[in-house]
């Protein structure tokens, strides 16, 4: 069962806590101002190494999605796939880690390291209350490495290590115009049009390649290193798949830019919706009273969401766009762990053990997770290892997880625990499937 | 009865033709590709002067308007007002001219000049088929002066002569984006966002004061003459009324511009609506597949709508906005008659006779009428004389005409016929009310 909100949230949290207990961990459900966090830990108190695991038990809403072949909340197995909302995003991934813990419990009588698991219920809505849990339990949450699985593997089910995420700044830009709709003949030129002021703001903030013109907005955007540039140039890009999905060619090529440098190293200002005035059949020659744009920015490196917001508001003031105001909905800072962090090789060896192939190292996820709570709030290096297939259809109808990848992920996670226990040099390997 | 489309159109045209016949004119109803035109004429064939009159029997739709105190299509008299859709726009105005013709018929046994009357049924929808009627009957429509009444008088019911109109270019700007909605995290930066491309086009075309940046778009915009500048500086502007209607101060003042120079001598690019993406509650972090803006431009002087459209399309090409296309809905060229045209004094004297006060001379209406069919297609000077009160509420609920203004307009029109018959020097005046 996956959860999209309401009273089932508590049942889902209880199911997660019960699974943690079955894996040999001590679990509790802790309330927040939003959905509760399930926290569990286990392993020797005198362990030299502590591994932080993370997952989310909430799922993307399926209620208004057409196109499901099966009931989204009834798991259905077909061949190597299990279909259902949340199969890949994220239950089929964090369960692999919990099964690895359970394997250690059953086969070796216990964990060789300390393991801590955070399962939150608001990832699909910006993890807004996770920081509240983190701050309240800061001392309890110390760890040496955070490793978790979310998002899809690369094309061809190639495993990858991801060393960070882009952040998010979600806001609405409101434009207020005349007190009532005004005839464009009688008033066209003597009042400010809120749709035009909004367009002028958006159109003058964003360049054709996505660069942003507001002074200070790029503070914290990282300069790509030579090593990182080599990494992103080697990342696979399936052009046929890109064209099939988007109907066109990649935009960065038109500006002589590298695809992954733009996607992973630059902020992006997405306008997801604009509304204002009359847009039905025919024409109403009126100057509208208001307009609104929904914006979700992606942030990178050390960009601070509040500083970005301030630079946008200053840009509006300096340029004199009339009647505009920005309402921040929520934000998540970006996050990065160095690609040459000492733990990177350890995680890579564990993944190669589980999947039979060396993982590709990717400097960042293009999307957003609450990675910053580990790197920035707790100071823990964090490496993501996606277990879900590239075609998992997360957030879309007919989401699925491949059972073979689930088993390989379990083996990789079990091996990671062993390697961490041995200080990075694995002695006996748990079975790879 | 006012008309908003459908089979009642024919009944309305028949009622207009019958009224023309009662006024002593010979009337016919002529079909067009749209609504029919009522054409009527009368007076001696050997008259030295021919006056063209114009009006429209269609009315602004009232079906979806809340706030009517009375039934929009049942005329209700209260004191000096008659309420109803079309009372001021335009039946209560062209009927004054027809009653003046009828007065000449009854009191003097006939008209002293040739009078031609065109009543069309599509003014509220851009007069799209009026040019078809004009071109087909070009020889029959020769005249020395066109004079008609539409729109409101100035504040305080001050009569005015208007020597032209702004034109209109109505279009939709469509932006095509990716083939399906794409996650802004995974694709933000590597595909073009149609809402951003649309905003970039609009925001870079239009300056804060309304000036337009597309090269060539201002071809035909007139340079204001010293005499015209003096005229527009003297035009009354009721700031309290402006603030009450708009909720703010006039925009031109913020740029050191004259209110009426901006309103009457500059084109205006109005965006009446934008739609695209998701704008409901919450947030969908998607790059949308398409976007659309509804635009109605106001044109001035000798701007040619098709040339303006071409300059916009060239601007899109030159600037490289992606996926944009412009669909023209319809257009009406702007129109001007010189404010010092010899007939201006004749019309002014007639209006002063009818209203008891000299009219203000206004170089142009800010809005649009099909004035160009007279000035540009037929080569006739054209002067508008609004008879409706400043607060007629045309296009809004509770539209009304003042009965006293209707009578004064009738007297002014009757006097104009006399003055034209006398070569501009009135001998015996018809009664002013």
């Amino acid at each position: 069962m996956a959860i999209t909100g309401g009273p089932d949230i508590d049942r889902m949290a209880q199911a997660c806590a019960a699974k943690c207990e079955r894996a040999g961990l001590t679990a509790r459900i802790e309330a927040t101002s939003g959905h509760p966090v399930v926290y569990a830990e286990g392993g020797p108190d005198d362990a030299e190494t502590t591994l932080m695991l993370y997952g989310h038990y909430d799922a993307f809403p399926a209620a208004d999605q057409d196109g499901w072949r099966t009931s989204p909340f009834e798991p259905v197995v077909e061949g190597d796939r299990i279909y259902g909302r949340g199969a890949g995003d994220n239950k089929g991934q964090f369960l692999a880690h919990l099964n690895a813990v359970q394997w250690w419990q059953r086969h070796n009588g216990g964990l060789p390291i300390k393991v801590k698991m955070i399962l939150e219920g608001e990832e699909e809505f910006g993890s807004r209350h996770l920081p509240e849990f983190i701050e309240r339990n800061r001392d309890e949450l110390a760890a040496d490495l955070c490793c978790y699985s979310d998002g899809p593997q690369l094309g061809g089910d190639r495993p990858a290590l991801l060393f960070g995420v882009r952040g998010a700044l979600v806001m609405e830009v409101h434009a207020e115009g005349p007190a009532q709709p005004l005839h464009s003949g009688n008033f066209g030129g003597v009042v400010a049009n809120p749709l035009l002021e909004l367009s002028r703001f958006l159109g003058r903030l964003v360049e054709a390649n996505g660069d942003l013109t507001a002074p200070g907005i790029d503070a914290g955007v990282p300069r790509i290193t030579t090593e990182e540039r080599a990494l992103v140039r080697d990342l696979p890009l399936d052009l046929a798949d890109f064209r099939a999905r988007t109907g066109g060619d990649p935009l960065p090529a038109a500006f002589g830019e590298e695809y992954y440098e733009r996607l992973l190293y630059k902020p992006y200002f997405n306008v997801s919706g604009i509304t204002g005035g009359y847009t039905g059949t025919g024409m109403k020659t009126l100057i509208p009273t208001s307009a609104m744009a929904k914006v979700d920015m992606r942030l990178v490196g050390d960009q601070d969401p509040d500083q970005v917001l301030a630079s946008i508001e200053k840009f509006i003031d300096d340029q004199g766009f009339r009647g505009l105001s920005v309402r921040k909905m929520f934000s998540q800072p970006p996050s990065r762990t160095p690609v040459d962090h000492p733990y990177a090789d350890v995680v890579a060896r564990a993944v190669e053990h589980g999947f039979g192939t060396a993982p590709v190292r990717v400097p960042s996820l293009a999307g957003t997770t609450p990675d910053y709570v580990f790197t920035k709030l707790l100071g823990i290096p964090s490496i993501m290892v996606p277990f879900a297939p590239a075609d998992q259809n997360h957030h879309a109808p007919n989401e699925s997880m491949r059972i073979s990848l689930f088993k390989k992920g379990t083996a990789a996670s079990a091996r990671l625990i062993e390697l961490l226990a041995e200080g990075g040099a694995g002695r006996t390997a748990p079975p790879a499937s």
Side-chain angles (χ1 to χ4, degrees), chain A:
Chain A
M1 183 184 60
I3 292 296
T4 59
D8 286 340
I9 283 287
D10 286 337
R11 285 176 55 213
M12 192 69 235
Q14 283 155 15
C16 287
K19 172 64 184 175
C20 290
E21 295 277 354
R22 281 199 301 280
L25 304 178
T26 302
R28 71 172 189 266
I29 298 172
E30 185 167 321
T32 73
S33 307
H35 294 171
V37 169
V38 178
Y39 178 70
E41 64 172 63
D45 285 338
D46 60 351
E48 286 191 4
T49 305
T50 299
L51 171 65
M52 174 71 78
L53 300 170
Y54 161 80
H56 63 91
Y57 65 81
D58 64 318
F60 195 83
D64 61 350
Q65 282 186 333
D66 292 330
W68 279 88
R69 292 185 300 103
T70 62
S71 172
F73 297 116
E74 296 295 332
V76 173
V77 175
E78 292 180 5
D80 189 34
R81 301 250 177 191
I82 181 166
Y83 288 89
R85 172 52 82 227
D89 183 16
N90 175 249
K91 296 179 186 66
Q93 301 206 57
F94 73 71
L95 278 175
H97 290 287
L98 279 174
N99 278 0
V101 171
Q102 196 161 341
W103 181 89
W104 272 96
Q105 201 69 33
R106 288 197 186 160
H107 291 264
N108 296 324
L111 286 162
I113 59 169
K114 194 90 178 169
V115 169
K116 301 177 177 181
M117 169 63 104
I118 293 173
L119 294 172
E120 66 148 323
E122 298 183 308
E123 196 273 346
E124 300 294 357
F125 309 97
S127 304
R128 295 184 218 188
H129 301 98
L130 181 58
E132 175 188 325
F133 169 84
I134 298 288
E135 297 291 359
R136 195 163 54 210
N137 298 282
R138 173 180 289 281
D139 293 342
E140 195 177 2
L141 300 177
D144 299 290
L145 169 68
C146 177
C147 184
Y148 62 99
S149 299
D150 202 359
Q153 295 193 324
L154 303 182
D157 295 343
R158 294 176 63 179
L161 309 189
L162 293 123
F163 292 83
V165 300
R166 292 205 286 188
L169 170 57
V170 178
M171 55 197 147
E172 291 180 352
V173 185
H174 290 257
E176 294 302 320
Q180 58 183 321
L182 297 172
H183 189 272
S184 61
N186 299 339
F187 289 91
V190 296
V191 298
N193 178 325
L195 273 171
L196 271 174
E197 290 302 295
L198 182 62
S199 296
R200 284 169 24 75
F201 159 63
L202 298 172
R204 287 161 192 248
L205 176 67
V206 185
E207 301 282 13
N209 64 349
D211 280 352
L212 301 173
T213 64
I217 200 169
D218 278 346
V221 173
R223 181 159 298 171
I224 188 168
T225 66
T226 307
E227 181 185 5
E228 289 169 333
R229 177 161 283 145
L231 279 181
V232 297
R233 288 214 173 147
D234 286 345
L235 288 178
L237 173 61
D238 184 338
L239 264 182
D241 179 66
F242 182 93
R243 290 182 182 124
R245 287 179 189 228
T246 70
D249 285 323
L251 190 63
F255 300 97
E257 298 178 354
E258 287 289 332
Y259 183 93
Y260 284 109
E261 276 193 49
R262 170 57 62 180
L263 189 61
L264 306 180
Y265 281 84
K266 297 289 185 183
Y268 182 67
F269 188 97
N270 184 50
V271 180
S272 60
I274 293 183
T275 183
Y278 175 79
T279 54
T281 53
M283 175 65 61
K284 295 192 178 177
T285 54
L286 296 170
I287 300 167
T289 57
S290 65
M292 188 269 288
K294 298 224 179 206
V295 172
D296 62 292
M297 278 191 75
R298 301 290 161 167
L299 309 178
V300 294
D302 288 318
Q303 282 190 293
D304 174 65
D306 289 331
Q307 198 176 334
V308 168
L309 184 64
S311 70
I312 288 172
E313 289 175 330
K314 185 169 190 307
F315 180 71
I316 290 172
D317 284 347
D318 290 349
Q319 297 282 317
F321 303 118
R322 286 165 194 276
L324 296 198
S325 59
V326 182
R327 297 182 198 165
K328 174 179 165 180
M329 313 304 279
F330 64 91
S331 66
Q332 289 180 282
S335 175
R336 278 289 167 89
T337 292
V339 293
D340 55 359
H341 192 282
Y343 276 122
D345 285 340
V346 181
V347 178
R349 286 173 58 201
V351 170
E352 183 166 1
H353 172 78
F355 288 85
T357 178
V360 178
R361 298 188 189 201
V362 182
S364 176
L365 182 72
T368 303
T369 75
D371 202 64
Y372 76 99
V373 305
F374 306 110
T375 58
K376 292 185 174 171
L377 297 188
L378 294 173
I380 310 172
S382 177
I383 300 172
M384 285 176 64
V385 185
F387 292 161
D391 59 353
Q392 64 166 326
N393 276 3
H394 63 316
H395 295 198
N398 306 313
E399 178 178 351
S400 70
M401 178 69 185
R402 283 185 56 191
I403 296 166
S404 56
L405 294 180
F406 176 76
K407 290 180 179 173
K408 289 174 180 176
T410 304
S413 183
R415 174 71 165 164
L416 176 62
I417 290 169
E418 182 177 41
L419 290 174
L420 290 172
E422 295 169 359
R427 204 170 39 205
T428 62
S433 68

